[in-house]
Amino acid sequence: MHGTKAKDTTLLIVVAFMTMFAPFLLNPFPAGSELAQFNAGYPDLMQRFVIFGIFAIGFNILFGLTGYLSFGHAAFLGVGSYSAVWMFKLLSMNVIPAIVLSVVVAGLFALVIGFVSLRRSGIYFSILTLAFAQMSFNLAYSVLTPITNGETGLQLSLDDPRILDGGGPATSLPVTNLFGWEMRESTTIHAGAWSFDLSVGYYLSAIIMLACFYLSIRIFRSPFGMMLRAVKSNQQRMNYTGLNSRPYTLAAFVISGMYAGLAGGLLASMDPLAGAERMQWTASGEVVLMTILGGAGTLIGPVLGAGFIKYFENIFSKINEGVLHGWFAVMPDGIEDLLVAIVYPFVGKGWHLTLGLLFMLVVIFLPGGLVEGGQRMGRFAFRRRDRKAGPVESSAAEKRAASSKPAE
Amino acid sequence: MGILEVKNVSKRFGGLKALSDVNLSVRENTVHAIIGPNGAGKSTLLNCLIGKLIPDTGSVMFDGQSVLGRKPHEINQMGISRVFQTPEIFSDLTVFENVMIPCFAKRDGAFRMHAIGKTSGESDIIEQAERMLIDVNMQDKRHVQASSLSRGDKRRLEMAMCLSQQPKLLLLDEPTAGMARADTNNTIDLLKEIKAKRDITMAIIEHDMHVVFSLAERITVLAQGTPLVEETPENIKGHPKVREAYLGEAQV
């Protein structure tokens, strides 16, 4: 058991390092070079990485531990966003009250939906959550227009009351801030041909994500986390062991709903507008994809999955025909056109196709997601190195491989 | 007055009368076997005791309280644990975690939210679980994932899980089904040992007469949903009604 503790600490340190230095790590190519378009180190995208990371971490607490597959988690994300924007309109442009309210409202919302949906399990549970989310989406889109501003989306306006900031006659829209630090403020560091953006908004989101990640490690290793895994493993035995599985699943559902609300609140804090499309079923499906792609039930998997999908969505989709022609320019004309014609459907607007294929490959060959892929590669590398080292150490390598398997 | 009193229990499935007017009294601290041919209603009766099924008529009293209308986890918290015909364990969890869960259930009740503390920090639970694993002789397998155990070991694990709750009544549904002779004898020894070590009442459903006659102090014979006789093992062997139920012999 001490082994898992040390491993968790290492994992937390690695993730902390990666998020704190992400602006540098994600900008490996010099600005202005041909490869610069693969740089992901700009604030807007990095914020998405960590915010959707939070969303997926929360989703994993429900799906990864209890096995209950919710298809309606985007509803909580949307509710969080609306709550946050209302807080900006009514109270203050400070992000703290907005984030707190979004978590609370999403938690209450999850309590109601969870209470009803968790009466069923399996596919019926998934359908119920999907139905609730679509209901919320449609309400936000039409009936609740006074609250949600319908299809235009909820935005800030010049005549908002903002009790604490004292609205007043402003000439331009105010900016979200944390006690004076504006979220969109950023410093650019130039180092030779490279340039790196350090933004306040990103670092706030990243620190919150680290806190969420730490909390999820604690939940995974707690007696409560063990009970949630027991729900997934054998609910019948659990009930015949004197445990009531319903409050356990409801607690997990509410916690993951609060994570989603937090993510929604952060999205609104970075860019204060909220639209109904954030609640649509495609958004709910996306978080399912993230979690499964990264590795459901593992600690780091959902974060990897979120980063992977957001990178694809924002970077891969930018590769257009012109860029492809640039790549294959060395080829003779006919072959160049042929190659472009072959590759084109998979990039640019066709990025979904590549993602879909990747998803299929992962589900078929790596049921444990990208995390399992990483473990297999690690084991392969260890084995090869140890084989060279001689027979004595190879048994140690097997032991290491065996012990690394159940952990993540 | 027994610890478990079943009175006039009937249960129908559509047109099939699975149980009709069953009366059963299990005395405290005894091993009570329920035998009978296939389809006699033994498993239905057991399911009525643990809240999986609700009888159409009749009453089931445990320890002076009715169990009818209570949820399975509430009945379990009253002190009834059940070992299933195919072992029901948490197969994705390790052996040690499997035993820890019932220890938590015993200490904390049906639900307790301790989401921040570490499992490895609960020293009393760990100590209890460790003792239980030693009791069933599985301490060397504590970190093994439960799904990779042999069938015999799964059975032992399930028994350890039930015993960790210190139940007053342990229900065993064919504990030796599909076991080799050696494993069957091990199970008999294990059950005898359990019985010798603590105050516990056991009700066993079993096909293997070797098991029944080595353990039971009272035997109830069930046939077509009604109890035929309730007797001591010595008196049951040559009982004409039992012979008839099993062999279809005409009564002399």
Side-chain angles (χ1 to χ4, degrees):
Chain A
M1 294 226 165
H2 294 283
T4 39
K5 200 183 167 192
K7 246 179 225 164
D8 291 346
T9 315
T10 319
L11 187 64
L12 187 65
I13 291 169
V14 169
V15 173
F17 177 82
M18 300 279 264
T19 44
M20 287 303 122
F21 291 94
F24 305 99
L25 296 172
L26 292 175
N27 260 1
F29 307 112
S33 73
E34 198 155 294
L35 289 168
Q37 60 171 322
F38 290 108
N39 280 342
Y42 55 96
D44 193 44
L45 181 57
M46 287 191 300
Q47 282 162 12
R48 271 165 195 281
F49 284 162
V50 290
I51 291 172
F52 281 90
I54 294 174
F55 191 20
I57 291 171
F59 185 77
N60 189 41
I61 290 177
L62 180 71
F63 177 56
L65 287 179
T66 69
Y68 276 77
L69 177 56
S70 161
F71 260 112
H73 254 54
F76 308 126
L77 187 84
V79 167
S81 287
Y82 281 121
S83 316
V85 175
W86 269 113
M87 219 55 182
F88 293 137
K89 286 168 86 73
L90 297 176
L91 197 66
S92 133
M93 289 308 288
N94 194 324
V95 295
I96 298 287
I99 290 173
V100 170
L101 186 78
S102 60
V103 174
V104 171
V105 173
L108 292 174
F109 204 61
L111 188 67
V112 175
I113 293 185
F115 185 78
V116 180
S117 310
L118 286 165
R119 300 188 161 266
R120 292 281 168 270
S121 59
I123 187 79
Y124 303 102
F125 168 79
S126 306
I127 298 289
L128 277 171
T129 49
L130 177 63
F132 271 114
Q134 280 304 88
M135 239 149 68
S136 315
F137 165 69
N138 281 314
L139 284 177
Y141 205 72
S142 55
V143 183
L144 292 178
T145 301
I147 302 176
T148 61
N149 204 15
E151 46 186 301
T152 327
L154 194 60
Q155 295 166 348
L156 300 180
S157 67
L158 288 174
D159 53 354
D160 286 332
R162 263 190 290 283
I163 307 166
L164 291 184
D165 298 356
T171 47
S172 65
L173 283 176
V175 185
T176 51
N177 63 66
L178 176 73
F179 305 113
W181 289 324
E182 291 187 357
M183 284 299 121
R184 64 179 181 198
E185 204 173 288
S186 79
T187 328
T188 308
I189 299 174
H190 296 281
W194 285 268
S195 73
F196 308 105
D197 286 323
L198 307 179
S199 99
V200 176
Y202 168 72
Y203 276 101
L204 177 72
S205 314
I207 288 166
I208 293 179
M209 192 212 72
L210 279 178
C212 287
F213 186 64
Y214 175 70
L215 188 65
S216 108
I217 294 181
R218 293 300 294 260
I219 291 177
F220 266 64
R221 303 293 178 230
S222 71
F224 175 69
M226 184 170 75
M227 295 303 180
L228 295 183
R229 282 185 292 136
V231 171
K232 183 180 186 178
S233 185
N234 191 340
Q235 211 171 124
Q236 161 145 311
R237 174 38 90 195
M238 202 173 166
N239 287 330
Y240 294 125
T241 307
L243 292 161
N244 191 357
S245 51
R246 187 77 61 76
Y248 282 105
T249 46
L250 186 59
F253 193 84
V254 171
I255 291 173
S256 75
M258 286 164 84
Y259 268 79
L262 174 62
L266 275 174
L267 275 180
S269 302
M270 298 307 135
D271 184 12
L273 52 88
E277 74 287 342
R278 238 170 234 181
M279 296 180 148
Q280 218 172 352
W281 65 273
T282 45
S284 298
E286 199 180 52
V287 73
V288 179
L289 286 190
M290 287 172 183
T291 311
I292 294 178
L293 189 69
T298 63
L299 286 167
I300 189 69
V303 184
L304 287 180
F308 203 77
I309 287 184
K310 286 292 153 192
Y311 186 83
F312 254 72
E313 185 185 288
N314 290 282
I315 303 292
F316 222 69
S317 60
K318 277 193 291 194
I319 305 171
N320 55 26
E321 222 163 333
V323 177
L324 284 181
H325 277 289
W327 286 358
F328 297 122
V330 282
M331 305 279 177
D333 264 357
I335 297 177
E336 181 189 327
D337 288 341
L338 182 71
L339 282 175
V340 170
I342 293 172
V343 178
Y344 184 66
F346 294 93
V347 296
K349 281 180 187 146
W351 69 274
H352 280 112
L353 185 60
T354 316
L355 187 66
L357 287 173
L358 264 173
F359 186 72
M360 276 165 55
L361 289 176
V362 165
V363 170
I364 295 170
F365 295 106
L366 294 171
L370 295 174
V371 169
E372 191 187 329
Q375 280 172 353
R376 280 197 195 173
M377 258 147 62
R379 236 174 292 154
F380 184 68
F382 269 128
R383 209 170 290 161
R384 279 185 56 161
R385 204 183 67 194
D386 289 315
R387 201 175 291 153
K388 270 182 208 155
V392 182
E393 270 120 311
S394 72
S395 73
E398 268 156 38
K399 240 181 244 168
R400 194 164 9 181
S403 69
S404 73
K405 203 180 161 197
E408 40 273 334
Chain B
M1 195 57 189
I3 188 166
L4 180 75
E5 291 283 341
V6 178
K7 286 225 168 73
N8 307 327
V9 163
S10 300
K11 178 78 192 171
R12 277 181 165 282
F13 297 112
L16 177 80
K17 209 161 190 193
L19 295 174
S20 58
D21 248 0
V22 174
N23 287 295
L24 177 75
S25 172
V26 178
R27 280 179 224 159
E28 204 163 351
N29 288 332
T30 56
V31 179
H32 196 122
I34 300 163
I35 61 172
N38 284 328
K42 303 180 301 277
S43 295
T44 310
L45 179 61
L46 220 54
N47 285 338
C48 288
L49 303 183
I50 59 161
K52 199 174 181 181
L53 291 175
I54 298 169
D56 302 331
T57 59
S59 70
V60 180
M61 301 288 282
F62 174 72
D63 220 7
Q65 284 175 297
S66 173
V67 304
L68 297 185
R70 287 178 202 253
K71 292 195 174 120
H73 70 266
E74 292 168 335
I75 295 174
N76 178 280
Q77 291 280 358
M78 288 166 75
I80 302 182
S81 280
R82 175 175 175 180
V83 173
F84 287 81
Q85 199 168 343
T86 39
E88 293 279 353
I89 51 174
F90 302 113
S91 36
D92 301 336
L93 274 59
T94 65
V95 167
F96 196 62
E97 285 172 324
N98 265 280
V99 184
M100 274 171 106
I101 287 174
C103 294
F104 272 114
K106 176 76 185 162
R107 192 189 73 181
D108 300 335
F111 173 71
R112 188 179 147 194
M113 181 95 188
H114 27 195
I116 300 298
K118 285 219 183 309
T119 321
S120 49
E122 310 267 345
S123 54
D124 55 325
I125 297 282
I126 289 177
E127 206 177 290
Q128 222 178 317
E130 244 152 29
R131 241 183 297 132
M132 186 45 69
L133 281 184
I134 291 168
D135 267 9
V136 296
N137 205 10
M138 287 184 75
Q139 64 274 39
D140 50 329
K141 299 198 172 100
R142 48 178 290 172
H143 290 309
V144 175
Q145 198 183 325
S147 60
S148 60
L149 292 175
S150 71
R151 197 184 154 103
D153 276 345
K154 281 182 183 162
R155 175 112 278 156
R156 291 170 96 77
L157 176 61
E158 195 187 19
M159 243 176 261
M161 289 164 73
C162 288
L163 291 174
S164 317
Q165 298 190 282
Q166 300 150 22
K168 293 179 200 148
L169 173 65
L170 182 62
L171 303 172
L172 299 125
D173 191 352
E174 302 201 20
T176 62
M179 274 190 190
R181 199 68 183 176
D183 271 341
T184 305
N185 285 334
N186 283 340
T187 310
I188 294 173
D189 291 342
L190 179 67
L191 287 171
K192 276 185 176 163
E193 212 179 292
I194 290 165
K195 187 74 192 56
K197 267 191 201 163
R198 60 199 98 206
D199 290 339
I200 191 168
T201 316
M202 294 188 195
I204 302 185
I205 288 183
E206 188 53 77
H207 271 300
D208 189 336
M209 289 305 138
H210 170 60
V211 180
V212 172
F213 286 112
S214 6
L215 286 167
E217 293 158 65
R218 298 288 297 179
I219 298 177
T220 299
V221 183
L222 216 59
Q224 281 150 18
T226 25
L228 290 180
V229 272
E230 193 191 316
E231 270 293 357
T232 54
E234 296 77 50
N235 294 341
I236 218 108
K237 281 184 184 162
H239 205 287
K241 275 192 178 176
V242 181
R243 294 176 68 97
E244 190 200 338
Y246 270 92
L247 304 169
E249 254 175 48
Q251 224 170 324
V252 188

